[in-house]
Amino acid sequence: DAERTRDGARMITDNIGGLGVFGVERFVKGDEVYFSEVSPRPHDTGLVTLVSQDASEFALHVRALLRLPVQQPTVRTPAASATINATQSSDDITFEISEAIAIPGVQARLFGKPTAHVNRRLGVMLAVGEDVKQARARAQEAVEMSTIHYGTPS
C-alpha cells in the first residue's frame, strides 16, 4: 500500500542522509515491493510535478538544499507522464513532436542526451486531464505521435 511504500522510501533516505529530493524507485509485483535504485536528486519520474502541483520537484529540491521551509505541495490538477524511449542505437537523433504537443494539456521534456540506446529514456510527455485516466491517455497518445529520427548507428 502507499503508506508502506512511503515508509520504506523514508527509511532508505533517512539512512543515506543528505538534503533535497530523492528519487526512490521500487517495483511492485503482486503483493511484493522490490527496491531498485535511489537518485539523490530530482528524477525524470518526478517531472510530472512540473504540471501537476504548485511546487515542482526542482523547487522542493532547491528549498531543501538552501534549508528553506518545505511544505507539502498542493496538487493543482490530475496529471501523468509517459516516457519517450529509444528503439534503436544512434549517435545522431532528432525528434518530431509538433503534433504531439498540440494535444491539449500536453508538454514535452526532452533530455538532450547525445546518443540513443535501445530502451534508453530520451524524454517524457507530460499531460494534465480531468482525471488521472485522461491524463495518462493523453501522455501515452503524445508518445505514440512522437517520432525519433535515427542517423548514424552507434
Side-chain angles (χ1 to χ4, degrees):
D1 71 355
E3 185 176 338
R4 190 174 66 166
T5 299
R6 274 192 301 275
D7 290 346
R10 185 174 293 113
M11 181 183 71
I12 293 166
T13 58
D14 285 352
N15 282 296
I16 291 173
L19 298 171
V21 171
F22 290 79
V24 179
E25 191 171 281
R26 302 171 86 184
F27 297 106
V28 177
K29 182 178 180 183
D31 292 336
E32 297 296 319
V33 178
Y34 300 93
F35 171 78
S36 174
E37 69 176 355
V38 174
S39 301
R41 58 175 165 64
H43 194 268
D44 62 84
T45 55
L47 288 172
V48 71
T49 61
L50 293 170
V51 296
S52 66
Q53 58 192 45
D54 63 352
S56 73
E57 67 175 343
F58 299 103
L60 295 171
H61 189 66
V62 169
R63 291 186 71 80
L65 293 176
L66 295 175
R67 297 182 186 273
L68 297 171
V70 177
Q71 297 175 336
Q72 179 70 31
T74 300
V75 175
R76 292 186 313 233
T77 184
S81 68
T83 59
I84 301 168
N85 297 323
T87 58
Q88 300 177 33
S89 294
S90 177
D91 291 331
D92 179 22
I93 53 175
T94 57
F95 299 88
E96 194 173 311
I97 61 168
S98 58
E99 288 183 22
I101 61 174
I103 299 170
V106 169
Q107 297 180 22
R109 295 295 188 275
L110 303 176
F111 301 155
K113 294 180 178 178
T115 59
H117 309 288
V118 176
N119 293 324
R120 186 177 198 188
R121 288 184 288 207
L122 302 175
V124 295
M125 288 295 178
L126 307 173
V128 298
E130 291 181 25
D131 54 32
V132 173
K133 183 177 178 181
Q134 182 186 53
R136 282 182 180 153
R138 284 180 175 167
Q140 189 57 47
E141 179 185 7
V143 167
E144 290 167 6
M145 292 176 71
S146 301
T147 303
I148 304 171
H149 296 283
Y150 300 93
T152 310
S154 58

